[in-house]
Amino acid sequence: MMEFNGVQFDTYLQHYPDKNGYFGPYGGSYVSEDLQKAMDEITHAYHTICHSRKFIAELRRIRKEFQGRPTPISHLERLSTSLGGVQLYVKREDLNHTGAHKLNHCMGEVLLAKYMGKKKVIAETGAGQHGVAMATAAAYFGLECDIYMGAVDIKKQAPNVARMKILGANVVEVTHGLQTLKEAVDAAFDAYCKDYENCMYCIGSVVGPHPFPMMVRDFQHVVGEEAREQFVEMTGHLPDAIVACVGGGSNSAGFFSGFLNDPVEIYGIEPLGRGTALGDHAASLQYGTEGVMHGFNSIMLKDENGDPAPVYSVASGLDYPSSGPEHAFLRDLGRVKYDVINDDETIEAFYTLARMEGIIPAIESAHAVAYGMKLAKKMGTGSVLINLSGRGDKDMDYIIENYGIR
């Protein structure tokens, strides 16, 4: 049994968050009285509908027959040999339908919206993978779908914008502020507040007011469950370390949850971008302080006025000025170690994985690959399992335009 600072991890998922949505001091629900009624409705529905035999059976069928789960684990044999004695493995969420882990919670959220009688789902997206997954889920269940996306990200992620539109979603361009993920969340929240009786806001990460950090983690828990079982079956033992990228933190929260009670080192990797100056990165857990934004309390990057600071990352899905409250809690406990990888290291890992293993990762995932490679050089022996949270098809045009073919 693993224990950190008095928290026992054999029962962790049953006790965190608490009934008010807190992971220690982080989380909660900081919204208007009217919107809190909507949050309470979703919380009640989640604890009743989503725990029913009928819902669970339907979601399991969807995961197997539509999503293509379980996704496999691949041994990176050539890359491992090039780095020394450590064996690197990747959990292949890039092979999940739509090309990323996002569909795991989107199918669950939209199925819940359907059971609740909602007519429309609203979502935000940065890299576009959440938007594509939400558009896919909405098409599958026959609900209307509005996706809010910053103008900068629309330009960077043109293939995913096209996919959303083909799937029937209404892509709403957000043109205020920095025109990236934070502004997309702002706009989506505003739209939801105006029509929460008829629609459901399906948040794309383990952020936002309770119950979303809990709900998204729980829907993503399948990644960690599968990975643990598959790795033991493949190798006969647990990995020495696991690694995942962290922006808001949905892929990492689900992946980590399968190993929290095991003697495994866990690493969450944030984007250092161009450097440590404010506005050049999005490493909130590394450089931020406690604060409230988008309805939850966590660690965030702030400007001189205490407002969310401008952030940057080469990965559109990681350029968010805060992180999920559970990540802040796990950081404080010392159960997960959070570190950073910069743009140059990320792009190098992107090309290395493609050339040595025939896998083109999402730029977000390449942050975790880069750290896994760096960790392998330090460890000397053992094994590292990396969550490859998405594939890089969406990033091709941007990579070629900005970095060329190496």
Side-chain angles (χ1 to χ4, degrees):
M1 180 181 70
M2 299 293 291
E3 181 176 325
F4 282 78
N5 289 320
V7 174
Q8 296 180 353
F9 282 92
D10 58 333
T11 57
Y12 172 83
L13 294 179
Q14 286 73 48
H15 293 119
Y16 293 94
D18 66 17
K19 64 179 182 179
N20 295 314
Y22 282 95
F23 300 87
Y26 308 112
S29 182
Y30 297 79
V31 297
S32 67
E33 186 175 342
D34 284 345
L35 194 55
Q36 186 58 51
K37 294 177 182 177
M39 294 299 105
D40 291 342
E41 178 191 20
I42 295 170
T43 302
H44 177 73
Y46 175 72
H47 283 304
T48 54
I49 295 170
C50 290
H51 291 178
S52 70
R53 180 177 179 274
K54 182 178 179 181
F55 184 97
I56 292 169
E58 186 169 0
L59 189 57
R60 284 177 175 171
R61 179 190 62 78
I62 288 168
R63 285 174 170 169
K64 180 180 179 180
E65 299 176 6
F66 182 70
Q67 291 185 230
R69 303 206 68 87
T71 58
I73 285 178
S74 295
H75 178 208
L76 306 181
E77 188 170 358
R78 289 189 65 224
L79 182 56
S80 299
T81 300
S82 74
L83 295 170
V86 173
Q87 299 304 305
L88 294 176
Y89 299 80
V90 284
K91 173 61 170 167
R92 299 293 303 279
E93 287 303 289
D94 60 313
L95 298 180
N96 193 35
H97 181 45
T98 73
H101 70 289
K102 294 291 187 179
L103 197 61
N104 299 329
H105 67 256
C106 286
M107 294 303 287
E109 287 180 322
V110 181
L111 179 59
L112 176 59
K114 183 178 179 181
Y115 272 77
M116 293 173 69
K118 304 299 184 181
K119 305 300 182 185
K120 178 195 286 190
V121 289
I122 292 174
E124 85 296 327
T125 194
Q129 288 300 132
H130 175 59
V132 169
M134 187 55 60
T136 299
Y140 183 91
F141 291 112
L143 273 64
E144 296 178 46
C145 181
D146 288 347
I147 306 292
Y148 290 80
M149 191 171 188
V152 170
D153 293 334
I154 284 178
K155 183 178 179 181
K156 286 174 68 175
Q157 304 293 343
N160 272 345
V161 175
R163 292 168 75 192
M164 286 182 261
K165 291 179 178 178
I166 288 171
L167 289 161
N170 175 35
V171 180
V172 183
E173 184 175 11
V174 179
T175 58
H176 67 274
L178 294 178
Q179 304 177 25
T180 56
L181 183 56
K182 175 192 173 293
E183 289 75 27
V185 175
D186 291 340
F189 255 116
D190 288 344
Y192 177 56
C193 289
K194 295 173 183 176
D195 194 27
Y196 59 82
E197 292 183 356
N198 298 307
C199 64
M200 177 170 159
Y201 181 18
C202 298
I203 293 177
S205 194
V206 285
V207 298
H210 180 64
F212 286 100
M214 170 188 68
M215 190 163 66
V216 173
R217 177 202 67 188
D218 291 354
F219 284 138
Q220 290 293 345
H221 181 60
V222 65
V223 180
E225 281 186 308
E226 286 179 6
R228 188 186 188 283
E229 180 179 346
Q230 290 168 324
F231 196 90
V232 172
E233 182 180 355
M234 179 182 287
T235 68
H237 55 78
L238 291 166
D240 292 291
I242 64 171
V243 182
C245 64
V246 179
S250 57
N251 90 90
S252 44
F255 185 51
F256 294 168
S257 67
F259 296 88
L260 288 173
N261 195 42
D262 293 316
V264 173
E265 295 290 323
I266 303 178
Y267 296 90
I269 309 308
E270 295 189 293
L272 186 59
R274 297 179 292 244
T276 58
L278 194 64
D280 282 346
H281 64 85
S284 57
L285 293 169
Q286 198 76 12
Y287 299 105
T289 56
E290 188 171 349
V292 174
M293 64 176 287
H294 293 150
F296 69 104
N297 182 53
S298 187
I299 301 299
M300 60 182 279
L301 294 166
K302 302 175 184 176
D303 62 18
E304 62 276 7
N305 299 316
D307 297 321
V311 292
Y312 159 81
S313 170
V314 69
S316 296
L318 300 181
D319 59 356
Y320 187 66
S322 186
S323 189
E326 185 169 19
H327 285 295
F329 183 54
L330 292 171
R331 183 202 68 167
D332 286 3
L333 290 177
R335 180 63 189 99
V336 178
K337 299 174 183 177
Y338 293 88
D339 209 338
V340 295
I341 284 289
N342 65 33
D343 283 0
D344 290 341
E345 294 169 307
T346 297
I347 299 304
E348 185 64 31
F350 175 94
Y351 277 107
T352 299
L353 187 64
R355 298 287 167 80
M356 297 199 73
E357 296 291 347
I359 301 171
I360 302 175
I363 298 178
E364 291 77 12
S365 311
H367 284 74
V369 174
Y371 195 84
M373 292 166 58
K374 182 182 288 189
L375 189 61
K377 293 177 182 178
K378 291 181 180 178
M379 288 171 57
T381 60
S383 59
V384 178
L385 176 59
I386 302 163
N387 193 30
L388 197 73
S389 55
R391 63 175 178 241
D393 304 38
K394 66 184 178 61
D395 299 312
M396 291 295 92
D397 292 344
Y398 178 79
I399 287 285
I400 292 170
E401 180 181 344
N402 290 274
Y403 297 95
I405 300 295
R406 295 186 177 180

